[in-house]
């Protein structure tokens, strides 16, 4: 007879409560209704989980109860898995609170808010070298996911119009879009949701774990609505070569007469490259780039909930995607998937533009990259880890030839590869050969026990046998924190290599590679409820 069984924690609590008593005969009071100074009436009663309570509680008590449960979350400042920004100065916090109740879509009621929205669009268009930035076409979005959908929809509609004009079918064989297999899941979502064939180009070590432009051309044909090129791969932080992809598509058009545009997914890199790599060609300077998206809540340094998409000119945003609204006393225009959305994150983005300016954004980007390089070099010098990211490596190894520094004025501070401040690393081959019984996922688990949130996951399809640990170095990841992180990684790894160490008992954890103390099965979908995993990076970022 098996001794193991499923234990339901909710049922345990229910069965372990005191039995209800009747009213006390002398005081006429109900001993079950106890007012607690900390938790009010829910101090001893259960918090509603599946139905609304018949009677509410006071605001302070409700706050305290929810606050305490949320304290079990990880610390945002130690969440090195996420690209999402987690800190803004107090004046920005105050500004957001003052405008928390404003709806961005109510243009007639909040004209200054709409003006600030327009200014953000113009500023980004100018930053990305749009031909006429003062007449920029774009919109704020709910992160880059919505922005990517809009960019893809515009390309699909342009393709459809061209096919119809040529008397060709838009259904057989139908549209397709090309992207690297390292694409974030939002890019694949566009293809699936809007019925476009998704052509994933395999990535390799030789292509630096990102889109290979030459291989991508094998997937391009007359039904290709466009190519998604990612400025900052979610896996390793590598920039995909937009210029090389553009040149190959230029040559393809000369030979075939087929124009295939590029949409740059600059979710992270579009707020890093202009400041840290101003000479890099990736934006509207390349005529084939017709739209760019970014996340203001990543390296735009605003709080979560804001993204942007910009088109190089009006001709690349089909009119039938723009809705004219006669609403709330005025004529308004909308070209977004969402309608109502909070205005506060857009206001926070504009605050950053005014507060930081170009110099401020450049200082943050360079500082992030500097700390990421320090972490990369420290990890590799242990001999235990191989770093897959390249931002700590020089662009041209020939520059390091003897005497080259003096000969050409080599600037070591600015000579590293272009990319995001992301450090992806794995056990070195020598370490894996010597300690074959140590699983890399244990590093994630043991770092979590110290408060650090560092994910361990597989690379994109064709490289899924390789697991990596990844650290995103954001503004609040100071050198002091990098120092502490390195110390903890060294301590944990060294401990794992000691045969007498108790941490070898981690194999008993089995599939439980993460702490489950704060997890619940409430509202969890059944296994098999979603479509089969396709290989794209489908975690939050």
């Amino acid at each position: 007879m098996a001794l193991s069984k499923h234990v339901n924690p909710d049922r345990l609590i229910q069965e372990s409560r005191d039995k209800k008593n009747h009213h006390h005969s002398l005081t006429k009071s109900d001993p079950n209704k106890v007012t607690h100074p900390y938790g009010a009436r829910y101090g001893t009663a259960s918090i509603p989980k599946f139905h609304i309570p018949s009677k509410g509680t006071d605001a302070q008590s409700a706050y305290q109860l929810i606050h305490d449960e949320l304290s079990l979350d990880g610390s945002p400042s130690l969440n090195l898995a996420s690209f999402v920004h987690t800190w803004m100065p107090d004046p920005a916090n105050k500004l957001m609170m003052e405008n928390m109740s404003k709806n961005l879509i109510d243009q007639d009621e909040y004209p200054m808010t709409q003006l600030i929205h327009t200014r953000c669009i113009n500023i980004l268009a100018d930053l990305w070298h749009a031909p006429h930035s003062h007449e920029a076409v774009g919109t704020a979005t709910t992160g880059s996911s919505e922005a990517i959908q809009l960019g893809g929809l515009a390309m699909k509609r342009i393709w459809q119009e061209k096919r119809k004009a040529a008397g060709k079918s838009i259904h057989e064989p139908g549209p397709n879009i090309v992207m690297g297999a390292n694409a974030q899941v939002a890019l694949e979502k566009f293809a699936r949701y809007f019925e476009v064939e998704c052509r994933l180009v395999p990535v390799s070590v030789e292509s630096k774990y990102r889109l290979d432009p030459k291989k991508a051309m094998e997937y391009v044909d007359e039904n290709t609505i466009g190519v998604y090129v990612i400025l900052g791969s979610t896996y390793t932080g590598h920039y995909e070569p937009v210029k090389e992809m553009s040149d190959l598509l230029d040559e393809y058009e000369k030979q075939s007469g087929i124009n295939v545009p590029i949409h740059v997914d600059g979710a992270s890199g579009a707020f890093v490259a202009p400041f840290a790599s101003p000479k890099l060609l990736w934006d509207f300077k390349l005529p084939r780039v017709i739209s760019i998206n970014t996340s203001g809540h990543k390296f735009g340094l605003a709080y979560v909930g804001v993204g942007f998409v910009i088109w190089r000119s009006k001709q690349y945003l089909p009119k039938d995607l723009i809705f004219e609204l006669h609403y709330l006393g005025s004529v308004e225009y909308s070209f977004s998937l969402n309608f109502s959305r909070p205005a506060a994150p857009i206001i926070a983005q504009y605050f950053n533009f005014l507060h930081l300016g170009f110099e401020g954004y450049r200082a943050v980007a360079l500082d992030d990259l500097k700390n990421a390089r320090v972490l990369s070099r420290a990890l590799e010098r242990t001999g235990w880890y191989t770093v897959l990211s390249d931002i700590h490596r020089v662009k041209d190894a020939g520059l390091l030839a003897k005497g080259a520094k003096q000969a050409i004025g080599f600037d070591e501070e600015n000579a590293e590869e272009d990319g995001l401040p992301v450090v992806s690393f794995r056990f070195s081959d020598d370490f894996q050969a010597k300690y074959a019984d140590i699983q890399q996922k244990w590093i994630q688990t043991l770092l979590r026990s110290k408060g650090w949130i560092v994910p361990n996951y597989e690379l994109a399809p064709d490289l899924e046998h390789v697991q990596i640990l990844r650290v995103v170095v954001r503004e609040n990841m100071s050198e002091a924190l990098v120092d502490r992180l390195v110390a903890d990684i060294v301590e944990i790894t060294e401990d794992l290599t000691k045969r007498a160490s108790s941490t070898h008992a981690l194999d008993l954890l089995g599939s439980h590679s993460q702490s489950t103390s704060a997890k619940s099965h409430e509202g969890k979908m059944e296994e098999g409820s979603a479509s089969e995993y396709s290989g794209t990076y489908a975690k939050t970022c």
Side-chain angles (χ1 to χ4, degrees), residues 379-386 426-429 431-432 435 489-491 493-494 497:
L379 288 169
E380 289 202 327
R381 285 170 181 168
T382 65
W384 299 328
Y385 292 98
T386 295
R426 62 170 178 84
F427 284 153
S428 66
D429 293 340
F431 184 91
Q432 292 181 71
Y435 304 103
I489 290 175
V490 167
E491 178 188 344
T493 310
E494 194 169 32
T497 62

Side-chain angles (χ1 to χ4, degrees), residues 490-506:
V490 167
E491 178 188 344
I492 288 169
T493 310
E494 194 169 32
D495 195 30
L496 283 170
T497 62
K498 296 177 181 177
R499 289 294 171 183
S501 171
S502 61
T503 53
H504 273 278
L506 279 171

Side-chain angles (χ1 to χ4, degrees), residues 464-480:
E464 63 269 16
H465 60 282
V466 178
Q467 292 188 350
I468 60 170
L469 294 151
R470 189 196 69 188
V471 170
V472 180
V473 179
R474 305 192 305 272
E475 183 183 10
N476 62 301
M477 186 64 177
S478 62
E479 189 171 342

Side-chain angles (χ1 to χ4, degrees), residues 422-494:
V422 169
V423 182
S424 294
F425 58 105
R426 62 170 178 84
F427 284 153
S428 66
D429 293 340
D430 289 344
F431 184 91
Q432 292 181 71
K434 188 174 182 180
Y435 304 103
D437 59 327
I438 297 178
Q439 298 183 43
Q440 189 169 285
K441 66 180 181 179
W442 294 353
I443 302 296
Q444 169 184 300
T445 304
L446 291 173
L447 282 173
R448 186 61 186 263
S449 71
K450 292 177 176 288
W452 301 105
I453 303 175
V454 177
N456 181 82
Y457 58 97
E458 299 82 14
L459 281 175
D462 291 337
L463 292 175
E464 63 269 16
H465 60 282
V466 178
Q467 292 188 350
I468 60 170
L469 294 151
R470 189 196 69 188
V471 170
V472 180
V473 179
R474 305 192 305 272
E475 183 183 10
N476 62 301
M477 186 64 177
S478 62
E479 189 171 342
L481 284 179
V482 171
D483 179 66
R484 186 66 257 161
L485 176 63
V486 170
D488 285 340
I489 290 175
V490 167
E491 178 188 344
I492 288 169
T493 310
E494 194 169 32

Side-chain angles (χ1 to χ4, degrees), residues 144-420:
S144 276
S145 293
E146 182 188 1
I148 286 166
Q149 314 303 310
L150 292 172
L153 273 174
M155 290 192 297
K156 179 183 178 182
R157 193 57 52 87
I158 291 172
W159 174 84
Q160 288 175 328
E161 292 173 352
K162 287 181 178 179
R163 295 283 292 183
K164 290 177 181 177
K168 298 180 179 179
S169 172
I170 62 172
H171 304 294
E172 297 295 338
N176 67 73
I177 190 164
V178 176
M179 65 188 82
N182 58 306
Q184 207 268 352
V185 69
L187 281 71
E188 189 185 355
K189 271 187 177 182
F190 160 74
R192 190 181 302 181
Y193 288 176
F194 294 101
E195 300 180 322
V196 175
E197 179 192 350
C198 182
R199 295 186 173 180
L200 294 175
V201 182
V203 299
S204 63
V205 175
E206 292 73 27
S207 71
K208 297 184 178 179
Y209 318 99
R210 62 184 182 179
L211 179 74
D212 181 338
K214 292 185 177 65
K215 190 170 290 186
M217 292 306 301
E218 300 172 11
Y219 293 77
V220 172
D221 59 28
E222 65 174 337
N223 297 305
T224 302
I225 65 171
V227 179
Y228 276 143
V229 186
I230 306 167
L231 199 69
S233 173
T234 323
Y235 289 93
T236 58
H238 285 99
Y239 290 161
E240 293 188 338
V242 186
K243 177 66 166 58
E244 183 181 350
M245 189 75 250
S246 176
D247 290 344
L248 290 173
L249 289 172
D250 285 347
E251 187 63 30
Y252 177 75
E253 183 175 4
K254 288 179 182 178
Q255 296 174 359
S256 66
I258 299 171
N259 181 292
V260 178
I262 289 175
H263 172 93
V264 175
D265 173 21
S268 296
F271 261 118
V272 177
F275 307 107
S277 308
K279 295 181 181 179
L280 182 68
L281 286 176
W282 66 272
D283 58 14
F284 292 127
K285 283 185 176 180
L286 299 172
R288 195 159 295 277
V289 175
I290 67 168
S291 50
I292 301 172
N293 71 273
T294 194
S295 294
H297 61 228
K298 293 179 181 175
F299 291 99
L301 310 181
Y303 284 131
V304 66
V306 59
F308 297 92
V309 58
I310 312 291
W311 286 269
R312 68 180 299 116
S313 67
K314 293 179 181 179
Q315 73 181 92
Y316 298 104
L317 179 60
K319 288 185 178 180
D320 62 353
L321 292 181
I322 305 173
F323 287 81
E324 183 179 292
L325 308 172
H326 296 263
Y327 185 60
L328 297 180
S330 67
V331 177
E332 301 171 359
Y333 296 91
S334 173
F335 47 105
S336 59
L337 298 181
N338 291 334
F339 195 60
S340 292
R341 72 180 73 230
I346 290 94
I347 294 171
Q349 185 67 77
Y350 188 59
F351 170 90
N352 279 340
F353 289 151
L354 296 185
H355 171 58
L356 292 170
F358 189 95
E359 290 184 358
Y361 269 108
R362 177 172 168 79
V364 171
L366 292 179
D367 195 51
D368 289 349
L369 287 164
K370 177 182 177 182
N371 287 331
R373 291 196 298 268
V374 169
L375 176 59
S376 299
R377 292 166 184 152
L379 288 169
E380 289 202 327
R381 285 170 181 168
T382 65
W384 299 328
Y385 292 98
T386 295
V387 176
L388 281 67
S389 307
D390 286 323
I391 52 171
H392 62 300
R393 310 186 208 282
V394 295
K395 296 177 184 177
D396 184 356
L399 293 175
L400 293 179
K402 185 176 180 180
K405 290 185 180 182
Q406 293 79 10
I408 62 174
F410 177 74
D411 181 7
E412 186 176 13
E413 186 71 11
N414 296 306
E416 284 78 13
E417 284 282 354
D418 297 313
L420 298 177

